[in-house]
Amino acid sequence: MTIKCADSAGFCFGVKRAVDTVYDLLAKENHKVYTLGPIIHNEQVVEDLASQGVQVIEHPDEIAKEDRSQAILVIRSHGVGKFLYDALEEKGMRMVDGTCPFVKKIHTIVNEAWNQGKSIIIAGDGKHPEVQGINGWCGNTAIILESPEEAKAAVLDTEKDYAVVVQTTFRQSKFDDMLAILQEKGLKMEISQTICSATEKRQKEAMELSQNVDKMIVIGDKKSSNTQKLVEICKKNCENTVHIETICDLVLKTFKKDDRIGITAGASTPPAIIKEVVVTMSEIENVNVEEVSFEQMLE
Ligand code: F3S
């Protein structure tokens, strides 16, 4: 059995930075740590942090007035709108900013363009917290377009100046199609290419790996959209693709002695979970059996 784990599997720079921030605060501070939304789309990490006293809240108002002086609020890598920074300042609350620097850069572009009187177009998913946060840097006035169809249907003004940004995890080819449609409308646009290369690299590697293996394991939270995207890509090339959250989910899958196994993981999958899968698979290889199920192994 050969096992190849993608180099880009797991945490991207921005997610690692945000998660490390929370663990660092727990190690160094006596204050109660809160995160604005789950710090990461990974139940195991969120549960581990909760067991150490980290509380997930949706709004700073959820922290009682009398507790605020002892609270530190961490903003996750997706970032938030300007009104939240203003609210925290007004309440005199301590905040640690875990916004990914690539997302922060989009906030700056959008805010500057908006202050110059430009209208903002965001290519992205309007329900995603990153897009909602970006929109919060132009007074929630952005036109959010999720697909070429929406770009086609959008009623836009050729007299206006537009600044166009794109969600960091958006697909480049889809963004290019949308730009072509907007350009056909004759709009005056300043385009910022703000797609993050970490996602593209992970997807490209998953595609290449899945073309050259018999079985593909994708590790990541079922709710993580970037993990689902990896599963989709791998399934196109390798029908024996399985999506697992932890090693426990592999219990009933069977592997053969001469299988070539590929492993990748979404941006919010911790290194420990990936390692556990790789190590367990390697141990099966050492057992040197014809065919084995994880159920038998565990027994
Ligand atoms: Fe940042 Fe890119 Fe990750 S934008 S959060 S490094 S996917």
Side-chain angles (χ1 to χ4, degrees):
M1 189 190 285
T2 57
I3 299 163
K4 167 91 177 106
C5 184
D7 293 336
S8 56
F11 280 1
C12 63
F13 154 78
V15 168
K16 181 176 185 310
R17 182 174 169 272
V19 172
D20 286 351
T21 299
V22 181
Y23 280 106
D24 280 356
L25 287 171
L26 285 174
K28 290 182 196 149
E29 297 275 353
N30 292 324
H31 288 48
K32 167 112 176 134
V33 179
Y34 296 84
T35 63
L36 208 52
I39 194 75
I40 178 175
H41 290 298
N42 184 280
E43 250 173 59
Q44 290 77 30
V45 174
V46 173
E47 275 168 20
D48 181 51
L49 289 171
S51 73
Q52 298 186 52
V54 176
Q55 198 179 325
V56 178
I57 55 168
E58 295 306 321
H59 195 278
D61 285 348
E62 289 173 46
I63 305 172
K65 241 184 194 163
E66 58 275 20
D67 297 332
R68 284 181 191 162
S69 61
Q70 286 305 306
I72 302 179
L73 186 64
V74 182
I75 292 175
R76 57 187 173 172
S77 58
H78 294 320
V80 291
K82 186 174 181 306
F83 67 97
L84 247 147
Y85 290 86
D86 296 343
L88 291 173
E89 201 182 318
E90 192 194 303
K91 291 179 200 307
M93 283 178 59
R94 209 174 140 198
M95 175 271 288
V96 176
D97 197 348
T99 307
C100 174
F102 299 132
V103 177
K104 200 77 221 156
K105 191 178 143 206
I106 306 178
H107 294 173
T108 309
I109 293 170
V110 164
N111 196 241
E112 282 177 7
W114 188 56
N115 287 333
Q116 288 163 11
K118 291 181 181 159
S119 298
I120 309 298
I121 296 176
I122 307 172
D125 172 5
K127 293 185 288 305
H128 195 283
E130 180 192 319
V131 172
Q132 290 168 347
I134 295 168
N135 196 13
W137 288 87
C138 57
N140 293 313
T141 61
I143 298 150
I144 301 169
L145 304 173
E146 202 183 336
S147 62
E149 291 71 33
E150 286 189 12
K152 243 179 232 163
V155 180
L156 300 161
D157 188 345
T158 48
E159 295 301 310
K160 275 189 181 170
D161 284 319
Y162 289 94
V164 183
V165 294
V166 51
Q167 186 179 348
T168 54
T169 49
F170 210 66
R171 204 152 21 98
Q172 185 68 54
S173 58
K174 195 166 157 188
F175 183 48
D176 291 342
D177 291 347
M178 290 167 70
L179 282 181
I181 293 165
L182 295 177
Q183 262 147 359
E184 266 174 30
K185 289 182 188 251
L187 298 181
K188 284 183 272 171
M189 302 185 289
E190 193 176 332
I191 300 157
S192 300
Q193 292 279 356
T194 49
I195 292 177
C196 172
S197 61
T199 308
E200 210 187 323
K201 191 174 167 228
R202 192 182 302 103
Q203 292 180 355
K204 190 166 173 260
E205 222 188 331
M207 191 178 75
E208 287 165 2
L209 188 55
S210 58
Q211 281 165 350
N212 295 299
V213 293
D214 303 303
K215 285 170 185 161
M216 193 71 205
I217 300 170
V218 182
I219 317 164
D221 200 283
K222 300 270 174 184
K223 289 192 288 296
S224 152
S225 60
N226 79 83
T227 306
Q228 284 163 10
K229 183 77 210 155
L230 288 177
V231 174
E232 214 179 281
I233 291 170
C234 293
K235 273 193 174 156
K236 273 190 196 151
N237 303 310
C238 175
E239 58 176 16
N240 293 316
T241 295
V242 288
H243 178 185
I244 61 166
E245 291 196 339
T246 67
I247 187 69
C248 305
D249 299 336
L250 265 180
V251 165
L252 294 173
K253 314 291 173 213
T254 55
F255 296 92
K256 291 180 189 154
K257 190 182 156 192
D258 55 355
D259 270 345
R260 294 167 306 157
I261 312 278
I263 298 175
T264 189
S268 32
T269 309
I273 291 181
I274 302 172
K275 194 174 165 195
E276 196 180 14
V277 174
V278 175
V279 168
T280 310
M281 297 301 298
S282 312
E283 278 166 4
I284 285 184
E285 184 180 22
N286 291 338
V287 172
N288 207 17
V289 286
E290 274 293 329
E291 193 163 298
V292 68
S293 77
F294 268 79
E295 203 172 37
Q296 290 162 339
M297 286 295 299
L298 290 174
E299 276 171 16

